């Protein structure tokens, strides 16, 4: 301890009182000068350091505040006010475990202080959230990490380390607008640090500004050659683009299975790059669409839209696959979405929408493809083959020993199968049906008196193992199996 005269002690005390007045008036710089002079007069007094620390806290100069609280505690380790100030400084420096320890030390001195106890519990919970957030980042589960850091940032909004982690989580979770706002705050307070280059790079990358993002990441590596985050992000960006372009080339060369493998590998490179992954899912869906794998294609288009709801190309392609599967209501919905997103396509999409609505209306009557158990792009031979199988399966003679209910069901199925075949085997009628027009409205259909046995007779040629006799009491012809 330094020996100080009584006169000097009084001078120090006067400077402290002057500093206190400036502090009350929120003139923190002037207060700091007074407390510093008090310390010069009497470096043994802990209160002067603690009061100056309070000024540094108000000015958000947390490192200086921490240094002063540590000097104060060397002189008076049981000062609760100083321990609290140290905890605040540590919190805002991102040193949360040490902050909890400081508050715990204060609580040991005044265990009955409920306000202090509340501060301690809050700090403890914040620390737990911070540690859990770090764990989730290690597991690359940024959604869970973001949840934890949203709790932490409310208490430690001034911690640069926590701000950086929070912005990274926002970017990885696709909230680029919030990430950009926080990054602007970081940059204004701390300048363009190596971490800022990384964060700016991935935000631009995830916003779809790939070329600018790569330039920023390269600049970050120039500033700090050991910037591993910038290097890794740049490597992923380049690899993902290379694989996407390779997949596109394979698609053009009609090497469809190879294209799918290439797109699948590209999707594994950076699962947080929503914009480019949305395009890749849509491209892989297009390949599956060309392979007539429409259900699988729809799954990929849906993932593309989930990642980027404004990507109208995926909506158009999904609508086309829905159309192929006869899900016209779904295709109508997608065409309507495209019109809202991209007004320049309104005329084209309105035409597709009208066609889909016609098909939907017709499908509510009878789905001939479903009745014949064939795909909507079935060949003529596939349609004939299916009709042969189903007509023989449901021919009334096959059901003559069944109960009346089964016979009636069989008759209806036999009629439906014949009606479906009569339309789908006739190119003109099929084209009308596929365009959403009811071909039976054009030609009279079966309501015009055509008997399903006539279709059966024409298909099987009228002989060859069948005995003809009247069908169902009508004027048509049926065949009895021998």
């Amino acid at each position: 301890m330094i020996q100080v005269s009584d006169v000097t002690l009084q001078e120090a005390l006067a400077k402290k009182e002057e500093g206190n007045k400036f502090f009350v008036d929120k003139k923190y710089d002037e207060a700091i000068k007074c407390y510093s002079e008090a310390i010069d007069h009497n470096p043994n007094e802990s209160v002067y350091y603690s009061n100056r620390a309070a000024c540094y806290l108000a000015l958000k100069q947390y490192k200086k505040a921490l240094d002063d609280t540590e000097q104060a505690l060397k002189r008076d380790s049981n000062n609760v006010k100083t321990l609290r100030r140290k905890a605040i400084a540590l919190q805002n420096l991102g040193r949360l475990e040490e902050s909890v320890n400081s508050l715990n030390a204060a609580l040991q001195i005044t265990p009955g202080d409920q306000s202090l106890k509340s501060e301690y519990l809050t700090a403890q919970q914040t620390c737990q959230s911070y540690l859990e957030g770090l764990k989730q980042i290690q597991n690359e589960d940024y959604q869970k990490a973001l949840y934890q850091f949203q709790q932490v940032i409310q208490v430690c909004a001034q911690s640069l380390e926590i701000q950086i982690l929070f912005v990274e989580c926002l970017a990885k979770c696709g909230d680029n607008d919030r990430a950009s706002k926080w990054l602007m705050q970081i940059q204004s307070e701390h300048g363009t640090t190596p971490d800022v280059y990384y964060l700016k790079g991935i935000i631009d990358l995830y916003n779809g500004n790939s070329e600018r993002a790569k330039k920023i990441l390269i600049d970050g590596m120039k500033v700090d050659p050991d910037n591993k985050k910038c290097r890794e992000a740049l490597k992923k960006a380049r690899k993902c683009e290379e694989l996407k372009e390779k997949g596109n080339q394979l698609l053009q060369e009609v090497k469809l299975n190879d294209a799918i493998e290439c797109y699948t590998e590209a999707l594994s490179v950076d699962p947080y790059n929503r914009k480019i992954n949305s395009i890749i899912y849509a491209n892989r869906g297009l390949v599956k669409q060309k392979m007539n794998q429409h259900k699988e294609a729809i799954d990929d288009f849906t993932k593309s839209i989930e990642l980027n709801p404004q990507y109208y190309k995926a909506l158009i392609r999904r609508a086309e696959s829905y159309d192929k599967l006869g899900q016209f209501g779904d295709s109508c919905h997608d065409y309507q979405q495209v019109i809202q997103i991209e007004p320049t396509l309104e005329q084209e999409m309105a035409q597709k929408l009208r066609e889909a609505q016609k098909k939907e209306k017709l499908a509510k009557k009878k789905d001939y493809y479903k009745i014949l158990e064939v795909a909507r792009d079935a060949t003529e031979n596939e349609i004939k083959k299916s009709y042969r199988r189903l007509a023989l399966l449901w021919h009334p003679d096959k059901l003559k020993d069944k109960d009346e209910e089964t016979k009636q069901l069989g008759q209806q199925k036999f009629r439906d199968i014949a009606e479906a075949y009569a339309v789908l085997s006739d190119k003109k009628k099929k084209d009308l049906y596929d365009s959403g027009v009811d071909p039976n409205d054009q030609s009279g259909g079966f309501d015009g008196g055509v008997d399903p046995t006539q279709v059966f007779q024409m298909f099987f040629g009228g002989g060859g193992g069948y005995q003809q006799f009247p069908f169902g009491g009508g004027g048509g012809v049926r065949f009895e199996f021998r």
Side-chain angles (χ1 to χ4, degrees), residues 17-84:
E17 294 301 328
E18 188 180 350
N20 289 351
K21 290 177 183 178
F22 281 126
F23 184 85
V24 171
D25 293 336
K26 297 184 180 179
K27 296 179 179 179
Y28 302 117
D29 288 325
E30 288 88 340
I32 287 171
K33 288 178 183 178
C34 291
Y35 294 136
S36 297
E37 288 184 42
I39 290 169
D40 289 340
H41 289 309
N42 181 14
N44 301 324
E45 179 55 62
S46 68
V47 172
Y48 303 158
Y49 289 98
S50 184
N51 285 6
R52 190 170 69 176
C55 294
Y56 285 132
L57 288 177
L59 293 171
K60 299 180 181 179
Q61 297 178 20
Y62 299 110
K63 181 66 174 66
K64 289 182 178 179
L66 178 61
D67 290 343
D68 269 358
T69 57
E70 288 178 341
Q71 288 298 324
L73 291 168
K74 283 180 181 178
R75 292 155 175 80
D76 180 5
S77 60
N78 292 322
N79 190 306
V80 172
K81 189 179 289 187
T82 303
L83 287 165
R84 273 177 153 167

Side-chain angles (χ1 to χ4, degrees), residues 36 101 159 238 275 289 313 327-328 332 400 450 474:
S36 297
N101 293 338
S159 166
R238 286 172 170 168
K275 285 288 177 71
Q289 194 177 64
K313 287 184 180 179
Q327 296 174 229
F328 303 116
C332 286
K400 62 185 178 181
V450 178

